[in-house]
Amino acid sequence: MTAQHPPLLPLLLAGALLFSGSAMAVEAPPASDSQQDVARASDAPLPQDGKPQATKELRQAKSYTVTTAPTEALELAAPKLPDLSGYTAEAVNAKIDRSKKGSATVRRMVQQDALKEFIGGNNRMAEWVTRQRGMPQAIFVEGGYMSLSELSKKVPKQYLSSDANGVYTLRLPLVVAHNASLQIDKDVKELHLSQDRGAFIVNDGKLFITGSNLTGWNEAKKAPATFKKPEEFRPFLLSWGGTETYIVNSKIASFGYNTSKSYGLSISQYTPNMSKQMGRGMPTGWIIGSEFSDMWYGFYCYETQDFVVKDNTYRDNIIYGIDPHDRSRRLVIAGNTVFGTHKKHGIIISREVDDSWIINNKVYENKLSGIVIDRNSVNNLVAYNEVYRNESDGITLYESSNNLLWGNKVVSNDRHGIRLRNSVNIRLYENLAVDNHLVGVYGHIKDLSDTDRDIDLDPFDTKVSMIVVGGQLVSNGSGPLSIDSPLSVELYRVAMLAPTKSSGISFSGILGDKQNEILDLMVRQDKAVLIDPVESQAELQD
């Protein structure tokens, strides 16, 4: 059953929509729209233009018709959400196998598969030679289960020590081997990873962080290793292919910097050459009820599957709050609060992140967009999120077709409420876009051939189409809806009140050219509206 709404016509009349025989004025987005994109919404290497130069020529070359569309095909049942009730602290505890005790050793980092990323090219080994003042070493947990407090009794105190208050300090890299499990539990009130000595954690087996706090730590200053500059080493946590990672009711802060696999908290398949050698499956795990702050990336994953990120807080992180990446699938990102990202977006999935759920999150006051679906990420559900006061768009889709946005509240964002670029078959159902500075829903195309985008890696088509059913587009600064050069647009049961700076509703793009026809069918006759090019109809007849 679709959600019920108040009668459409009274809402429109309340918004001062007046009909007449003459054409209504078209109010386009501000002329500075594309410049704002480049200055404020760029996600390198994808410089963004709000409106491509080719748009006007394409519009002149196409003639559009407005007709009624059958409503039956537009009526969708509310999407079925995944059952999240089983993702609990108790369920995580049940996964811990303590039957076989592990062992610990300290040995050199060289010739260790799990550490090759950090001792290879680009003088990365020099980082640890300098910080350890000699040939770099790491702690290895192997052969079974061990807690961090047990580990501290197995290795020299200069490498892992604790005080009477349950505060531990790690001064070497720590590796959980493929046949091992490590638990950092509530007995560890806080684990400081020494920035001075180059400490980090690599999980190559199973890692459980349950009720503890992990902090990147500057021992010289006796303070957290707060972010200073992108290239400065800070401790980090990485889980490789074939691993399981579970983080529950914990806090992690001041991790990560701008170097591969060292972003903060990363879940990643091995690099392509290593992946062939290791033969591991995709990594997985759960992060629930935890808090992440002052991270380069709050969460990053690469070729990861069935990972659950649930009921966490991501605040004041540097680049992204949550950033699933290349070829990850069946992710659940649910119930998180993501705010205060300093440089870019709150939540972004990018490059073939498919078949995933972004649901019931609160995403606000981030530097650019709240939620972004990017680079051919398809078959995702973005539903019931509250996305507000972000400094760019509320929800942005770049070159990502076949996605469903349902029941989102997108409010008071500095640019568009929902924005689509080069994306087709985008279904927008029961969304509320209110008081956004520019357009409530904005669709456009852009030719990216002349950018530094790798077209082979990230192909695109300059095509856009959408279906908008139900919901409300209310008091958005430049109008409720705008789309240029679409393959098609379908509208049904959409409530639209006037923008704050105009006494009446005005569409822009091709919708402005057909505004009277659209409103007559959709409002006066309460019918579904189909807008498509004349040539597409001719192709169907052929």
Side-chain angles (χ1 to χ4, degrees):
M1 293 288 293
T2 54
Q4 298 298 312
H5 293 272
L8 186 58
L9 187 54
L11 284 173
L12 291 166
L13 291 174
L17 174 62
L18 302 177
F19 293 93
S20 67
S22 60
M24 300 175 71
V26 176
E27 184 178 354
S32 61
D33 189 21
S34 60
Q35 285 81 6
Q36 288 181 7
D37 252 343
V38 172
R40 303 179 57 203
S42 175
D43 189 8
L46 292 175
Q48 316 296 344
D49 286 340
K51 285 193 172 185
Q53 295 180 352
T55 297
K56 183 175 180 181
E57 297 176 1
L58 289 168
R59 284 187 57 204
Q60 291 175 343
K62 289 185 177 181
S63 177
Y64 286 85
T65 61
V66 176
T67 58
T68 61
T71 60
E72 293 79 4
L74 297 176
E75 297 286 6
L76 292 182
K80 184 177 180 180
L81 303 183
D83 181 4
L84 304 181
S85 62
Y87 299 106
T88 64
E90 293 76 16
V92 169
N93 186 62
K95 290 177 175 289
I96 303 175
D97 181 1
R98 301 176 176 87
S99 61
K100 185 178 180 181
K101 295 299 182 180
S103 61
T105 186
V106 176
R107 58 177 178 267
R108 289 182 176 182
M109 292 174 63
V110 295
Q111 297 182 336
Q112 302 296 323
D113 288 338
L115 296 175
K116 283 185 177 179
E117 178 74 21
F118 311 110
I119 57 174
N122 301 319
N123 295 317
R124 293 203 72 179
M125 187 173 177
E127 185 81 61
W128 286 274
V129 171
T130 300
R131 293 179 182 275
Q132 294 189 24
R133 306 181 186 96
M135 182 60 68
Q137 299 184 97
I139 300 169
F140 291 80
V141 175
E142 298 170 310
Y145 168 86
M146 187 173 288
S147 69
L148 190 86
S149 56
E150 291 171 335
L151 175 64
S152 70
K153 300 171 184 176
K154 305 286 186 182
V155 298
K157 298 300 182 185
Q158 67 264 32
Y159 301 145
L160 177 60
S161 63
S162 63
D163 65 17
N165 297 317
V167 177
Y168 289 69
T169 302
L170 176 67
R171 297 185 179 89
L172 286 184
L174 170 58
V175 179
V176 183
H178 192 56
N179 59 356
S181 298
L182 175 69
Q183 183 178 15
I184 305 172
D185 60 15
K186 63 182 180 181
D187 290 340
V188 179
K189 304 301 182 187
E190 187 158 352
L191 173 60
H192 292 165
L193 281 73
S194 173
Q195 179 184 35
D196 314 53
R197 299 299 301 275
F200 60 88
I201 298 173
V202 167
N203 175 29
D204 205 31
K206 294 183 180 181
L207 175 64
F208 300 87
I209 302 174
T210 56
S212 188
N213 299 324
L214 279 65
T215 306
W217 194 255
N218 186 312
E219 290 196 86
K221 296 181 179 179
K222 298 181 180 179
T226 53
F227 173 76
K228 298 293 190 298
K229 53 187 178 180
E231 65 275 12
E232 181 181 43
F233 170 85
R234 295 200 302 170
F236 56 88
L237 191 162
L238 166 67
S239 290
W240 282 125
T243 64
E244 297 179 33
T245 302
Y246 301 93
I247 302 175
V248 187
N249 299 334
S250 297
K251 293 183 179 180
I252 298 182
S254 300
F255 274 25
Y257 65 118
N258 189 24
T259 303
S260 176
K261 310 300 182 183
S262 308
Y263 301 133
L265 195 161
S266 302
I267 313 294
S268 176
Q269 179 56 278
Y270 275 97
T271 54
N273 288 338
M274 282 292 294
S275 181
K276 292 178 182 178
Q277 174 185 329
M278 304 295 285
R280 301 277 183 82
M282 288 184 168
T284 191
W286 307 347
I287 300 175
I288 53 180
S290 297
E291 180 179 301
F292 302 85
S293 61
D294 187 36
M295 311 279 283
W296 183 248
Y297 294 176
F299 172 81
Y300 170 86
C301 71
Y302 172 95
E303 293 187 355
T304 297
Q305 69 180 12
D306 300 314
F307 207 99
V308 176
V309 181
K310 173 180 174 282
D311 296 340
N312 305 290
T313 297
Y314 293 84
R315 63 174 179 85
D316 300 319
N317 294 298
I318 310 306
I319 303 300
Y320 302 115
I322 299 174
D323 178 27
H325 231 274
D326 302 51
R327 296 171 295 283
S328 296
R329 64 188 189 214
R330 298 193 305 273
L331 309 178
V332 176
I333 302 169
N336 302 286
T337 300
V338 185
F339 66 96
T341 303
H342 295 181
K343 299 291 185 181
K344 294 188 179 180
H345 315 298
I347 299 174
I348 176 172
I349 64 173
S350 183
R351 191 174 287 136
E352 300 178 44
V353 178
D354 301 339
D355 306 313
S356 297
W357 296 265
I358 302 175
I359 55 176
N360 290 312
N361 301 286
K362 291 185 179 180
V363 189
Y364 61 94
E365 295 175 0
N366 296 288
K367 187 62 177 178
L368 293 180
S369 294
I371 298 175
V372 177
I373 313 299
D374 182 39
R375 304 194 195 194
N376 300 297
S377 295
V378 303
N379 299 328
N380 298 294
L381 173 65
V382 182
Y384 307 116
N385 300 286
E386 297 180 14
V387 188
Y388 53 96
R389 295 198 304 269
N390 295 285
E391 294 187 34
S392 185
D393 307 320
I395 301 175
T396 307
L397 291 92
Y398 290 144
E399 293 76 52
S400 292
S401 299
N402 303 314
N403 289 294
L404 172 61
L405 278 62
W406 187 291
N408 300 285
K409 296 178 180 178
V410 186
V411 180
S412 299
N413 296 286
D414 284 1
R415 303 196 68 250
H416 308 292
I418 299 172
R419 174 183 171 191
L420 326 176
R421 186 185 73 189
N422 297 342
S423 302
V424 299
N425 191 29
I426 302 302
R427 296 173 293 164
L428 307 173
Y429 276 69
E430 312 298 347
N431 297 287
L432 175 69
V434 178
D435 192 37
N436 298 287
H437 185 69
L438 298 180
V439 181
V441 175
Y442 175 43
H444 69 107
I445 62 173
K446 177 175 174 54
D447 187 351
L448 303 172
S449 300
D450 293 332
T451 69
D452 57 0
R453 183 186 184 97
D454 185 332
I455 303 302
D456 292 331
L457 185 61
D458 298 309
F460 70 95
D461 289 318
T462 51
K463 297 177 181 178
V464 63
S465 71
M466 69 172 78
I467 298 171
V468 185
V469 175
Q472 299 182 43
L473 310 178
V474 179
S475 297
N476 296 288
S478 296
L481 191 62
S482 174
I483 186 166
D484 279 322
S485 305
L487 294 178
S488 68
V489 184
E490 294 183 76
L491 308 172
Y492 182 48
R493 293 193 294 100
V494 188
M496 292 179 282
L497 276 70
T500 56
K501 64 181 180 181
S502 173
S503 61
I505 288 177
S506 59
F507 292 142
S508 56
I510 63 99
L511 302 183
D513 299 339
K514 302 293 184 180
Q515 180 160 309
N516 283 348
E517 299 171 67
I518 294 167
L519 294 175
D520 180 65
L521 287 172
M522 189 168 64
V523 179
R524 287 179 174 167
Q525 301 185 44
D526 195 24
K527 294 181 177 179
V529 177
L530 171 64
I531 305 107
D532 64 351
V534 171
E535 56 264 36
S536 70
Q537 296 179 0
E539 291 170 3
L540 288 174
Q541 292 173 357
D542 291 343

